[in-house]
Structure formats: C-alpha cells, structure tokens
Amino acid sequence: MKFLEEYRDAGLTKKLLKDLEKLVSHEWTLMEVCGGQTHSIMRSGLDQMLPSKINLVHGPGCPVCVTPLELIDKAILLASRPDVIFTSFGDMLRVPGSNKDLFSVKANGGDVRILYSPLDSLRISRENPDKTVVFFGIGFETTAPPNAMVVLQAKSQGIHNFAMLVSHVTVPAAIIALMESPDVQVDGFLAAGHVCTVMGYWEYEPLAEKYRVPIVVTGFEPVDIIHGIMKCITQLERGTFQVENAYARSVMREGNLPAQTVINRVFEICDRPWRGIGVIPSSGYRLRPEYSQFDAEVRFPEIQSIETKESDLCMSGLVLQGRMKPDQCPTFGKECTPQTPLGATMVSSEGACAAYYRYGRLFQNNKVINQDLNG
Ligand code: SF4
C-alpha cells in the first residue's frame, strides 16, 4: 500500500536506528503527545530498540483517557433514561465511571448504540422522533470538524431531537500545562500528525520559542516516528528549539482551513477539566451559544449536579503527564487489566496502559510474563 508499507519497512527502520545511535550523545526525554503514536511504538517494539540515552514518555493525547469522570457519569445518567438513545464511539463504553460504565447501562436495557460516524446520530434521530438522541462528542482537534458538521446539519435539517454531550480538548493548551508544571521534565515533543493535519503547526511556534523545546510534527508508522525522533534529537544536540514538520506528506503549516472554519463556527474555546490532570485553562471546545439547543448539558440541566468518585488506586494522571510509565503503576496487570480496568488508560484503544498490556510489557521480577495476550 502506497504511503504505508514503506513506512513500516524493517530494513529502513534498522538503518535509521543505527543513524540515531550515532546522533545522540546526551540523555534526552521526549514525549510523544498522541496515544496512537504510543500504540505504534509499543506494537513495533521501538521503545526497546531506541538508543538507551533516549527516554520516551507518553503524553495526554488519548481523548477517551482525558474525558473527565464527571462527563462519563453524565453520559451514564443520560444513557439510563428511557427517553434517550445514547450514541458513542465504541471506546467510551468500557471507560469506568464512578460506579459503572456505559456497557453495563446497555446490558441493563439502556438504549446505547455504537457508531462509526457521528452523522449516524442524525439518521437515528429521524427514525426515532419520540426520543432524544444524544451523541458523545469527544476528541481532540481531529474529531472536532465532523462533530461540528453534525451540529450544522442538525440545524439546517431542522432536527430537534438531537443533542451532543461535548468533551473536546486541544493539544497546544496541554503542552503549555505540561511545560508549566514543575514536575514534568520533557526535553522535546513529537506532535500528533493528524491533529496538525487539521490545525497546522503555526500554533506551536510560540510554544517552542517560549519553553525552549523542539516540537516535531510526527506521523504514526515506525519510520515516521524515528524520523520525528531524529529531528528532535538533532535539534537538542545542537541547542535549537524550533517546530519542524516530519510528516510533510499530510501536514501543512496552516493546516486545513475549511475544517478550522467549521470548528470555529460551531465551537468556542473554554476551560476544560482533563481526567487525572485537572482543569487546563482554554484547553477545550464547547458549543457556541447559538447552538445551545443541541447542548446535552443545557437540554438536561438535571445532570449538572452529580458527585463523582475516582478510583483511589488509579494513577493515570501521572501516566498521562509522562511522570510514570504504565508498568510502574502498582496495579498494572494485577487489579487493573483490560477486563478489570481501574482507569480509562487501560481500556482506550489509544491508552498507554492498554498499549503496555496489549504488547507484552507486563513484567514481574524482571521477567516478561505476558506476551501480547490480545494477539
Ligand atoms: S495500570 Fe490501571 S490503575 Fe494503573 S494507571 Fe493504568 S489504568 Fe490506572
């Protein structure tokens, strides 16, 4: 397949790793922002093949993982209502709320439906005029354009029984929060290629300059990731701090302007709590007031005041800030597994804990005891 197989080439990967070995003379900590990159790194074994001086830590770029517990509990409340059809991407159904998850609501008779496109929510709305269809609109800047389009279409088609529970977050605000935290030590970032495909990378330029940190737009295949790491290490060894694009086959500096226009038409910036991390100022999107009729939190004000209870054992906040690796969590692979998750990072398809578990990084007494249990 063009633009895919060549970026998974084992010979080229080995050659680039040798080149990287020659390049690095100091110890550096790099963070890959996106959970999709984390999974690619673990799946290909790059974390075990990189030069030992390079420490890769995993960032907060997993939308399912950072959706706040309060929103999960609100989703569970809405999905439990007989007058609601709750629609969501499949990842969200296993995410633990304070007491249960959306799957258990579905198992107990709630009308919870898994979608592959948010547009399907509108079809379900038309087919069920006596119910309100609520779509769980989560994600980074990548999913914001299609979710915004659904709201625009609902308005233009006069669909009144549709609402969205919004939990959108943005990457640059997360990088600022990480760099401002005294507990986070990151020398360079691999920025998420798909987010930059939508938003471009001009937003990162003042951040690289202010925090004196290289930020390299990076793709998702092993060769892409080594390419991004090489650019980052080259800058660190030279002492330069710029934004570079190592994913030029998809990303332009200004990004996708029509997609940005749609986002800005429907959403506005707001402060947003991130699960395990807390409120990050100006880090999210919410519906603009002119679309409040589609805002599930406005349509169902009774879900506003709820009490949440996070697991005392889950340390995913540290994992999402690169302050702890999943296999350093005391419950990893013991109390917490994909079958018995204590945190969202263990069930999301982009979660770091799920990646470590799925790709066999379960250690006990320094011996690998789990070799890719999930195939
Ligand atoms: S292993 Fe489980 S308990 Fe530990 S941080 Fe990950 S999700 Fe949370």
Side-chain angles (χ1 to χ4, degrees):
M1 189 183 293
K2 196 158 170 55
F3 299 134
L4 189 56
E5 296 302 331
E6 58 268 53
Y7 292 94
R8 295 176 177 173
D9 185 274
L12 181 56
T13 301
K14 281 184 195 154
K15 181 190 172 305
L16 289 173
L17 283 168
K18 275 190 191 158
D19 293 345
L20 186 58
E21 187 80 55
K22 289 180 206 149
L23 205 60
V24 58
S25 66
H26 294 79
E27 298 204 342
W28 302 110
T29 297
L30 307 184
M31 173 180 280
E32 83 277 0
V33 171
C34 172
Q37 291 168 330
T38 306
H39 274 252
S40 180
I41 288 163
M42 306 307 287
R43 183 168 55 238
S44 60
L46 275 187
D47 59 311
Q48 297 171 323
M49 293 187 280
L50 286 172
S52 58
K53 289 193 171 79
I54 299 174
N55 178 31
L56 273 187
V57 294
H58 320 304
C62 162
V64 171
C65 306
V66 299
T67 298
L69 182 60
E70 191 188 359
L71 259 288
I72 306 288
D73 284 349
K74 286 179 178 177
I76 289 167
L77 272 180
L78 288 172
S80 304
R81 292 175 64 114
D83 57 345
V84 164
I85 298 173
F86 196 84
T87 61
S88 171
F89 296 128
D91 273 26
M92 294 306 295
L93 270 65
R94 293 289 317 281
V95 176
S98 293
N99 300 305
K100 54 185 166 183
D101 59 23
L102 284 165
F103 251 132
S104 61
V105 175
K106 185 174 172 62
N108 286 317
D111 196 343
V112 180
R113 304 189 192 183
I114 296 171
L115 302 186
Y116 294 100
S117 163
L119 275 176
D120 290 340
S121 288
L122 299 189
R123 175 183 51 76
I124 296 169
S125 300
R126 282 192 294 271
E127 291 169 357
N128 296 274
D130 54 331
K131 298 269 181 92
T132 299
V133 175
V134 179
F135 176 66
F136 207 169
I138 73 151
F140 281 84
E141 296 94 326
T142 39
T143 52
N147 289 351
M149 284 301 300
V150 171
V151 173
L152 288 177
Q153 292 208 8
K155 187 155 193 171
S156 69
Q157 294 174 20
I159 297 176
H160 302 295
N161 63 330
F162 167 78
M164 189 179 290
L165 185 61
V166 180
S167 182
H168 271 295
V169 283
T170 60
V171 172
I175 290 182
I176 292 170
L178 289 168
M179 293 314 295
E180 299 267 334
S181 167
D183 300 319
V184 175
Q185 294 296 324
V186 175
D187 299 308
F189 287 96
L190 307 181
H194 51 4
V195 168
C196 295
T197 301
V198 175
M199 301 303 289
Y201 53 84
W202 54 272
E203 291 178 291
Y204 299 98
E205 290 166 352
L207 306 187
E209 191 180 336
K210 178 175 179 185
Y211 297 109
R212 296 178 62 77
V213 63
I215 301 176
V216 179
V217 180
T218 302
F220 298 89
E221 301 304 329
V223 169
D224 286 318
I225 290 167
I226 300 174
H227 187 201
I229 291 172
M230 287 179 88
K231 281 188 174 291
C232 217
I233 295 294
T234 301
Q235 283 204 49
L236 288 166
E237 295 279 337
R238 284 185 188 150
T240 60
F241 310 101
Q242 293 166 345
V243 177
E244 281 190 273
N245 184 7
Y247 198 40
R249 69 183 185 280
S250 178
V251 174
M252 294 184 297
R253 181 179 180 275
E254 66 274 21
N256 183 327
L257 296 178
Q260 292 169 32
T261 301
V262 168
I263 293 174
N264 294 328
R265 198 169 148 197
V266 174
F267 296 118
E268 62 184 10
I269 294 287
C270 64
D271 297 346
R272 180 69 72 187
W274 296 48
R275 190 169 190 174
I277 297 176
V279 175
I280 300 181
S282 304
S283 68
Y285 293 132
R286 67 180 170 212
L287 288 168
R288 289 186 177 278
E290 54 266 43
Y291 297 102
S292 62
Q293 70 201 88
F294 300 109
D295 188 335
E297 294 194 72
V298 174
R299 288 273 280 270
F300 298 94
E302 57 273 33
I303 64 172
Q304 286 300 350
S305 51
I306 53 171
E307 283 187 17
T308 59
K309 184 171 182 342
E310 191 67 88
S311 160
D312 296 331
L313 299 173
C314 182
M315 308 176 95
S316 62
L318 298 180
V319 172
L320 290 163
Q321 296 172 75
R323 293 166 58 191
M324 173 188 268
K325 300 229 173 150
D327 56 356
Q328 294 169 331
C329 174
T331 65
F332 175 74
K334 297 174 191 149
E335 292 92 337
C336 185
T337 70
Q339 288 73 39
T340 56
L342 294 175
T345 45
M346 185 53 98
V347 285
S348 168
S349 62
E350 295 190 14
C353 301
Y356 272 63
Y357 194 92
R358 183 175 172 88
Y359 299 114
R361 305 302 192 274
L362 182 57
F363 292 86
Q364 198 170 62
N365 300 324
N366 293 326
K367 183 166 169 261
V368 179
I369 59 170
N370 171 15
Q371 290 287 354
D372 195 2
L373 291 179
N374 295 321

